[in-house]
Amino acid sequence: MDIIYLSSSCSDAKFNELREKGITRKLPQAQKYHCLLMEGIAQNLDGSLYAISAFPVNRQWTKQVFFAREKETIGRIQYIYDAFINLPVLRQWTRIIQAKRDIRRIYRQNKDCAIICDVLNQSLANAARTSGKKYGIPVVGIVTDVPGHTSGARRKSYAFIRRKVAEFAEKNSARNLEKYDAYLLLTEAMNSVVNKNGKPYIVLEGHCDSKMEQRENNLSDKRQPKIAMYAGGIHKEFGIERLVNAFVRGGFSDWELHIYGDGNYQKDLTELTKKIPNVKYHGVQPNSVIVENQLKATLLLNPRLTDAEYVKYSFPSKTMECMASGTPLCTTRLPGMPTEYYPYVYFFDDESEDGMLATLQDVLRKSEEAHHEFGKKAKEFVMTEKTNVKQAKKLLDFVSTVRMM
């Protein structure tokens, strides 16, 4: 069986090249999610894996109008970067046309194939659905966020026209959700919203990089003062402002709070760091830098608030990444987190600023040795149960079952 995988993700080398040229400014969460899953599929697949990728570029980031077709082979993954015209409407239209041609060509080479696609990439998802229906190829939609059930935090900073376009695109994605043959979902709660026709589905809350098993997390490498670290969207809706205020109020003189990412709290955070020397803001950094610094931190943080409805339809990829580092994670009790994770993370059970302060006072007073041992157990858990290779095997078994229906 061959797999045709459609997303906006490219190889890590290509993604870094685009970032260095300023052609993309996207955060690497989706890039990492899909790349790791494709790597896991490639290691389990008895066949070819074709990754049809739409470069994550936007007209506002680059004046380049035409992008030529490129191909790249990384390990057992054959990346196809189709040509497209980087102008409104034409960008989507050319990507749909090119992706359909690629699917047709691959199908004619081997009719024993299946399509896996990111439902949030509308152009490629359109090509996947129409081609799947035309040639009788089963299409599995990966739903990492439910259109219409997201925080919308980043969109609030958009100009009026761009915001309206984004809202229209989200509504269009939501209407098309029922058109897939099967689904990969991050949480069980997604099923009632996404899968109203009762199609086959599998819940895989995420995956971590199997290669992290070879990365050592050593006490001797930890920085002093001790570092509590957050990496992700720094939107006020995500609880980051409460976390920062709680840390400042705690007066933790032997700790520093390091923050990576961007969002609507960025301006206020930048001003605060001028007054509070042990709060450091590092902006947006490549994922490789984030991972290296996670190994050197003593504690990792995710204050994502759980009172919004969209939270039950999400499982932040940073949870897996943090646990795989071997540095312990303190997080909120996210409704989409299976209970099997509970013994391996610290929790902010009270998400108010006072509650976060109380949790920080309790967790930060623990010894470095205690933190280190706790982080090791979390890493052992995800390396045993949740690597990209193991999760991809479950997905491929599921795809094979769908194809038999």
Side-chain angles (χ1 to χ4, degrees), residues 182-231:
Y183 302 89
L184 186 165
L185 309 175
L186 297 193
T187 72
E188 185 66 39
M190 282 181 164
N191 188 52
S192 61
V193 178
V194 170
N195 188 15
K196 294 183 178 179
N197 293 326
K199 301 285 185 66
Y201 73 98
I202 184 173
V203 177
L204 297 174
E205 66 274 11
H207 43 263
C208 59
D209 188 350
S210 63
K211 296 187 291 294
M212 286 300 294
E213 190 166 11
Q214 310 303 320
R215 298 299 304 274
E216 294 188 9
N217 188 310
N218 299 313
L219 267 175
S220 58
D221 294 331
K222 301 296 180 182
R223 290 180 178 170
Q224 296 297 331
K226 291 173 283 188
I227 294 172
M229 175 179 165
Y230 170 80

Side-chain angles (χ1 to χ4, degrees), residues 147-148 166-176:
E167 290 172 357
F168 173 80
E170 188 173 76
K171 290 178 181 178
N172 191 51
S173 289
R175 286 194 297 268
N176 288 322

Side-chain angles (χ1 to χ4, degrees), residues 352-363:
S352 67
E353 188 178 305
D354 288 341
M356 287 189 179
L357 172 57
T359 298
L360 289 175
Q361 289 171 330
D362 177 53
V363 174

Side-chain angles (χ1 to χ4, degrees), residues 359-385:
T359 298
L360 289 175
Q361 289 171 330
D362 177 53
V363 174
L364 269 59
R365 67 174 174 81
K366 298 179 185 294
S367 70
E368 290 184 79
E369 290 75 17
H371 283 310
H372 194 245
E373 287 303 312
F374 194 69
K376 281 175 62 177
K377 291 177 181 178
K379 179 174 182 175
E380 289 171 4
F381 166 67
V382 294
M383 285 295 129
T384 301
E385 305 289 341

Side-chain angles (χ1 to χ4, degrees), residues 323 328-329 340-346 374-375 377-379 381:
M323 296 176 74
L329 170 67
E340 61 183 322
Y341 287 78
Y342 287 9
Y344 303 106
V345 295
Y346 302 126
F374 194 69
K377 291 177 181 178
K379 179 174 182 175
F381 166 67

